[in-house]
Every structure is written in C-alpha cells, then in structure tokens.
Amino acid sequence: VARTWLTFLRALELAKKTDSGFVRIRRDPDEEALAEALQTRVYGVSTVLNVLPEDEWLESEAVFERFSDEIPTWERYKDPTRVEDVWRERVGNMLEWAVLLGLAERSEDGYRRT
C-alpha cells in the first residue's frame, strides 16, 4: 500500500526519491498543476476522462467496462483471478481524483466530464 501511495505522490510531483528514501516536496499544491500531472503522469487517467461524456452520467462500472481493454497485459498475468477487481477499484479512484481536481463531477447517477 505504501509503495502505491509513494508512486502516486511521485506522479503528482508531491514527493521524490532521494538517496536516503522518499521526501515530501515542500510547496503548496496547485490544483491546476495537480490536475495536469494526474492526466499526464498517472496511467489510465486520460483514458478514463476520454470515455466520460460531458452530456450524460456514467456509473463507475460503465466507465470500467469502457476502460477494461486498456488494462496492461502484464497486469492480467500478474493475478488473473483479481485483475478486474483491482482495476475496478483503480478506475473508481481515478474518477474520485478527477472529481477532486475539477476534471469530472459526480452525482447519484454517476460521473461525467466537466
């Protein structure tokens, strides 16, 4: 879990690896910069955003179904019994981060791109 978070924080340019371990980058996070880093440095986010329509709501499961062909082959072999559950969760996380950073919005009907 820690490795996943550190990788994510590095992708958002909020942490970096040094010779003595990982350190937090000391700066106030800028929402626009975080949104850009999320889209360009976190695998799958741009695809998830591209499948989200602006004019209708999609539930997380529908977004996953549209995304599922993008799951890397090596991930399918790593743990074939759990790959879809793992990536459903990841897609859900991507959607929530997109909402947090203003790239998407959420309602009881699902998600849509802003």
Side-chain angles (χ1 to χ4, degrees), residues 38 40-47 67 69-72 87 94:
L38 183 73
T40 59
R41 298 175 52 109
V42 177
Y43 178 80
V45 171
S46 62
T47 303
F67 175 84
D69 288 342
E70 301 298 319
I71 298 171
W87 279 90
M94 289 182 229

Side-chain angles (χ1 to χ4, degrees), residues 5 7 17 27 30 32 36 52 54 66 70 72 79 82 85 88 90 96 110 113:
W5 271 108
T7 301
K17 186 174 183 178
R27 65 176 168 82
D30 172 76
E32 192 173 307
E36 177 67 23
L52 276 180
E54 293 179 10
R66 293 180 181 189
E70 301 298 319
D79 189 355
R82 290 188 4 96
D85 291 336
R88 269 188 185 84
R90 287 184 183 173
E96 289 300 315
R113 190 166 184 162

Side-chain angles (χ1 to χ4, degrees), residues 9-53:
L9 292 172
R10 287 176 63 198
L12 294 182
E13 299 174 328
L14 296 173
K16 66 181 178 179
K17 186 174 183 178
T18 67
D19 291 339
S20 60
F22 293 92
V23 295
R24 185 179 93 187
I25 296 174
R26 301 236 180 237
R27 65 176 168 82
D28 289 332
D30 172 76
E31 186 174 316
E32 192 173 307
L34 289 173
E36 177 67 23
L38 183 73
Q39 291 178 83
T40 59
R41 298 175 52 109
V42 177
Y43 178 80
V45 171
S46 62
T47 303
V48 164
L49 291 173
N50 285 334
V51 303
L52 276 180

Side-chain angles (χ1 to χ4, degrees), residues 71-90:
I71 298 171
T73 302
W74 68 270
E75 285 274 351
R76 294 183 187 281
Y77 290 111
K78 186 168 77 171
D79 189 355
T81 61
R82 290 188 4 96
V83 68
E84 288 198 357
D85 291 336
V86 167
W87 279 90
R88 269 188 185 84
E89 182 179 345
R90 287 184 183 173

